[in-house]
Amino acid sequence: TEADGDMAKAEELLRVKLGTKAGKAASRVTAEGVVAASIQGTTGALIEVNCETDFVTKNDSFLALANAAARLVAEHNPADVAALGALAYSQDGFGPTLEDVRKGLIGKIGENMSFRRFKRYSGAAKLASYLHGTRIGVIVEFEGDEVAAKDV
């Protein structure tokens, strides 16, 4: 109605409203979250993605964002969280960058979320990852049996 039937104008209005919602949420504390891991050949990454409540840690879109961020860290080796956010990624109709997806999901889900920290490992002969639930994650460099590496 606000856009008088003009779909392009309607999209722009929604984009502005989602941006405003994300701006308001930015000051709220993100004390919950998940750890995600990704291994691409001999390169691996762990990332901590935070949100406001443990309820959101079970949201499929939030988990997809966390897993995609871990994969992007492993593939592109960003220098910091800002560089990570600038990488190309689209999800749930949001994009073209990971930061745009994060802001879009803040508007969609209604909670602040942030990429807190990440670590990338590369050059190892073999890597295995282990996630204990969604809050503790490790990557192990190993030689030999993969099952034994995961058990470590």
Side-chain angles (χ1 to χ4, degrees), residues 22-37:
K24 289 178 184 176
S27 65
R28 297 196 305 250
V29 175
T30 55
E32 296 293 329
V34 298
V35 172

Side-chain angles (χ1 to χ4, degrees), residues 85-105:
L87 294 174
Y89 179 67
S90 295
Q91 175 188 319
D92 295 353
F94 303 111
T97 67
L98 187 66
E99 178 63 12
D100 292 328
V101 173
R102 184 191 71 83
K103 287 178 180 176
L105 290 179

Side-chain angles (χ1 to χ4, degrees), residues 125-139:
K126 292 183 186 178
L127 295 174
S129 66
Y130 172 75
L131 298 177
H132 187 74
T134 59
R135 304 197 78 170
I136 299 171
V138 296
I139 290 184

Side-chain angles (χ1 to χ4, degrees), residues 13 15 31 34 37-38 63 71 88 90 116 130 132 134 137 141:
L13 285 169
R15 198 175 340 273
V34 298
S38 176
L63 292 172
R71 182 178 44 78
S90 295
R116 181 160 184 253
Y130 172 75
H132 187 74
T134 59
E141 179 181 347

Side-chain angles (χ1 to χ4, degrees), residues 35-47:
V35 172
S38 176
I39 295 178
Q40 310 286 319
T42 60
T43 302
L46 289 171
I47 188 166

Side-chain angles (χ1 to χ4, degrees), residues 44-125:
L46 289 171
I47 188 166
E48 179 181 348
V49 184
N50 295 128
C51 57
E52 292 178 52
T53 65
D54 64 345
F55 178 76
V56 172
T57 64
K58 297 166 185 65
N59 180 288
D60 289 338
S61 293
F62 177 77
L63 292 172
L65 176 71
N67 289 321
R71 182 178 44 78
L72 288 170
V73 168
E75 291 174 355
H76 298 283
N77 194 20
D80 54 23
V81 171
L84 172 63
L87 294 174
Y89 179 67
S90 295
Q91 175 188 319
D92 295 353
F94 303 111
T97 67
L98 187 66
E99 178 63 12
D100 292 328
V101 173
R102 184 191 71 83
K103 287 178 180 176
L105 290 179
I106 289 171
K108 179 181 174 183
I109 296 171
E111 279 198 18
N112 191 16
M113 52 190 77
S114 61
F115 302 109
R116 181 160 184 253
R117 58 188 169 169
F118 61 83
K119 182 69 179 170
R120 183 176 185 267
Y121 306 89
S122 65

